[in-house]
Amino acid sequence: MHIRAKSLLGIFIKSWACDILWSYALTYSLYLALYAFKRKIAISAILSICIVTVFELLQLFGKVKGTFDILDIIFQIAAVLLAARVIKRREKI
């Protein structure tokens, strides 16, 4: 299936929305899995940033199928930081 993105929103959704969603979900999942650790928000954020960066680098070197894009890394790190912020705010409630 080919998706044509003519608007800025369409391009954003086609290019980065899935990366943002899986980065957010990865961070939240790691946070839940690390329930026994004291600094689980920081650990899950650091691990997520490392994982998303490694996956993009694997694409750059042709080890996994995909297209390397520096904006992917930027948006994924932003999603990780957003997830950490949301988790931190929820813990205060």
Side-chain angles (χ1 to χ4, degrees), residues 14-48:
K14 180 181 176 186
S15 301
W16 299 294
C18 291
D19 292 329
I20 289 169
L21 290 173
W22 91 261
S23 300
Y24 189 98
L26 173 66
T27 305
Y28 201 84
S29 298
L30 286 172
Y31 166 77
L32 293 174
L34 297 169
Y35 65 90
F37 289 85
K38 186 172 185 161
R39 300 189 48 88
K40 56 190 167 198
I41 297 173
I43 295 169
S44 65
I46 291 167
L47 282 174
S48 294

Side-chain angles (χ1 to χ4, degrees), residues 20-21 23-25 27-28 41 45 49 74-90:
I20 289 169
L21 290 173
S23 300
Y24 189 98
T27 305
Y28 201 84
I41 297 173
I49 289 171
I74 292 168
F75 282 122
Q76 289 172 348
I77 290 173
V80 167
L81 296 176
L82 176 65
R85 176 82 174 165
V86 168
I87 293 166
K88 188 173 185 176
R89 291 189 86 196
R90 280 194 82 204

Side-chain angles (χ1 to χ4, degrees), residues 60-75:
L60 175 65
F61 297 118
K63 300 298 180 185
V64 295
K65 189 175 180 179
T67 305
F68 173 80
D69 184 8
I70 194 71
L71 285 176
D72 280 351
I73 296 173
I74 292 168
F75 282 122

